[in-house]
Structure formats: structure tokens, C-alpha cells
């Protein structure tokens, strides 16, 4: 079975540019999560969706960050304009149901803003 | 609110040594508890879980028991291998919070020959 698929795996861009990260969740999963991982702050939940609807975006750091889920098989996380402090590994995860169901993570996008 | 506290790493062990990584939690109600593992360059993978008090989760020789009286979920393995070198995350979820996970800060394990 295909797992959570993220693209690109690596992104290097200059400050001020728009960055779009993509995620395809596991088919049939109704929850989708975006995380950011850095050495300083560890793993942070940015936003999550249930049935394509954003439920909690309290972790989104600033208005420069936005996320969409236009359908059950695709989500994007956009940063515009990007800044060097946005450099991190961004993970997408999906799950089915609530409570004791595990989340399945993609391999992440390593983002470097120069 | 929910929180998870893990022992700080890195933890360095020789191959075949016994492993314990401590994890304690604070949560309302009856959370589900998880251990995830992250190998270099990869995303997190579920290692094991327990959904109620006194449950024991186990996988690949790792075990953890849900102890409600001590609010703990310590990870153990009797004999570690070099291939177990990774970062281990303890996490919890509450049904009332959807499937939102609260993670600990992670503990890096290094196993040497």
C-alpha cells in the first residue's frame, strides 16, 4: 500500500520566494496533519484537517503560512513570502478515525531558505 | 492541557544492552499512548501503542506498559542492536481532541558495537 507521499523531498530557495509543499494522504484517511520539525523547537503541529475542513490552525506561525485541502487526496502548505527562519523539515501525516488511531507520516520535505 | 515529558538524550548504549526510555504524561480523561520512531532522513513511524490502563504495547522487541497510577509509558527493549539507532518520540491523544497528537521532545538513541 502506498503511504503518505510528500513532494518535493528537498527545496532550496531564496528569501522572499513563494514555497508550496504538497501532500497526498493515504486513501480512505479522513484526517490530515501538517508538522514542522526543527532542532530548536522539535516537532510542532501547524494545522490539521478533518474531511478536508481545517479544524485547528492555531499552530500556523504567521499569516505568511497557509494550507488548503481541496479534496480528500491532496493538500498544500504554502509559505509566501519565505524567510530563512522557515527552514525546517515539514511533515504531512494522515490517519483514519479518532482517538487511538495512529498517524502515518510521509518522509518530509527538507526546506532551506537562503 | 496535555503534555508529554521524555528523558533527554542522547542515550548511548553498547549492542545487546538493555534499553529504557522514560516517558510521563499529563492529560485529562483516558488518553491513548504511542511510541513513534524516526530513522535518519525519514518520517515518524508508529512503533507501538496502548489504549487503556495496564495495556502493554509491543513490537520488534520493544515494549511499553500504560501505567495510569504513575502516568507513565516507559519504552524498554531487552537487547538493542545498532539498527535501533534512531530518535524515539512518546505521544498521546485524547478522543476529545480528534486525532491530534501531543508529542514529547524525542530521545535520540545511539547503539554502538
Amino acid at each position: 500500500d502506498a503511504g503518505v507521499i510528500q513532494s518535493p523531498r528537498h527545496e532550496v530557495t531564496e528569501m522572499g520566494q513563494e514555497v508550496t509543499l504538497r501532500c497526498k494522504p493515504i486513501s480512505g484517511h479522513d484526517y490530515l496533519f501538517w508538522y514542522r520539525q526543527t532542532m530548536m523547537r522539535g516537532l510542532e503541529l501547524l494545522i490539521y484537517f478533518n474531511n478536508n475542513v481545517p479544524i485547528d490552525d492555531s499552530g500556523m506561525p504567521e499569516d505568511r503560512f497557509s494550507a488548503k485541502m481541496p479534496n480528500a487526496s491532496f493538500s498544500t502548505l504554502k509559505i509566501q513570502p519565505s524567510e530563512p527562519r522557515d527552514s525546517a523539515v515539514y511533515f504531512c501525516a494522515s490517519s483514519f478515525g479518532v482517538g487511538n488511531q495512529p498517524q502515518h507520516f510521509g518522509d518530509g520535505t527538507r526546506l532551506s531558505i537562503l | 492541557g496535555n503534555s508529554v515529558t521524555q528523558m533527554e538524550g542522547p542515550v548511548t548504549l553498547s549492542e545487546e544492552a538493555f534499553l529504557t526510555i522514560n516517558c510521563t504524561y499529563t492529560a485529562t480523561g483516558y488518553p491513548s499512548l504511542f511510541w513513534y520512531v524516526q530513522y535518519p532522513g525519514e518520517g515518524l513511524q508508529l512503533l507501538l501503542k496502548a489504549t487503556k490502563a495496564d495495556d502493554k504495547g509491543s513490537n520488534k522487541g520493544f515494549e511499553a506498559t500504560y501505567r495510569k497510577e504513575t502516568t507513565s509509558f516507559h519504552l524498554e527493549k531487552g537487547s538493542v542492536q545498532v539498527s535501533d539507532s534512531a530518535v524515539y518520540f512518546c505521544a498521546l491523544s485524547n478522543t476529545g481532541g480528534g486525532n491530534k497528537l501531543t508529542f514529547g521532545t524525542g530521545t535520540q538513541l545511539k547503539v554502538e558495537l
Side-chain angles (χ1 to χ4, degrees), chain A residues 9 31 33 35 37 42-43 45 48 56 58 91 95-108 110, chain B residues 32 34 36 38 41-46 49-51 87 89 93-101 103-105:
Chain A
R9 286 298 312 275
Y31 281 84
F33 305 81
Y35 292 90
Q37 186 177 40
L43 197 62
L45 176 65
Y48 78 96
D56 184 351
S58 59
F91 289 103
S95 67
F96 175 72
V98 298
N100 61 13
Q101 299 305 312
Q103 294 181 16
H104 299 260
F105 283 73
D107 285 337
R110 183 171 295 277
Chain B
S32 294
F34 305 83
Y36 283 80
Q38 184 179 28
E42 298 183 11
L44 280 69
Q45 303 173 23
L46 178 68
K49 71 176 186 180
T51 59
V87 181
F89 291 89
S93 72
N94 270 341
T95 304
N99 239 2
K100 185 175 172 177
L101 282 171
F103 284 95
T105 53

Side-chain angles (χ1 to χ4, degrees), chain A residues 1 17 30 34-35 38 47 51 53 56-57 62-63 73 78 89 96 104:
Chain A
D1 288 343
Q17 297 298 306
D30 55 350
W34 282 101
Y35 292 90
T38 61
I47 185 171
N51 292 324
V53 176
D56 184 351
D57 65 355
E62 301 170 34
D63 291 345
S73 58
K78 188 172 292 187
V89 181
F96 175 72
H104 299 260

Side-chain angles (χ1 to χ4, degrees), chain B residues 5-92:
Chain B
T5 303
Q6 286 181 241
M7 60 188 289
E8 290 202 15
V11 174
T12 303
L13 296 174
S14 299
E15 202 169 42
E16 299 184 1
F18 185 86
L19 169 71
T20 300
I21 299 178
N22 290 337
C23 170
T24 57
Y25 68 89
T26 301
T28 56
Y30 301 93
S32 294
L33 302 174
F34 305 83
W35 277 101
Y36 283 80
V37 59
Q38 184 179 28
Y39 298 102
E42 298 183 11
L44 280 69
Q45 303 173 23
L46 178 68
L47 181 59
L48 54 84
K49 71 176 186 180
T51 59
K52 61 183 187 296
D54 300 325
D55 266 3
K56 177 185 284 188
S58 61
N59 186 25
K60 301 180 181 179
F62 291 89
E63 293 183 339
T65 301
Y66 188 162
R67 300 287 188 201
K68 190 162 179 64
E69 63 276 13
T70 54
T71 62
S72 65
F73 193 54
H74 304 321
L75 182 68
E76 296 181 335
K77 186 175 185 182
S79 176
V80 293
Q81 306 299 311
V82 172
S83 57
D84 294 326
S85 299
V87 181
Y88 293 80
F89 291 89
C90 186
L92 70 83

Side-chain angles (χ1 to χ4, degrees), chain A residues 10-14 19 83-84 86-88 110-114:
Chain A
H10 303 274
E11 175 88 13
V12 180
T13 191
E14 292 189 348
V19 173
E83 296 183 3
D86 301 330
S87 298
R110 183 171 295 277
L111 177 64
S112 296
I113 309 297
L114 305 177

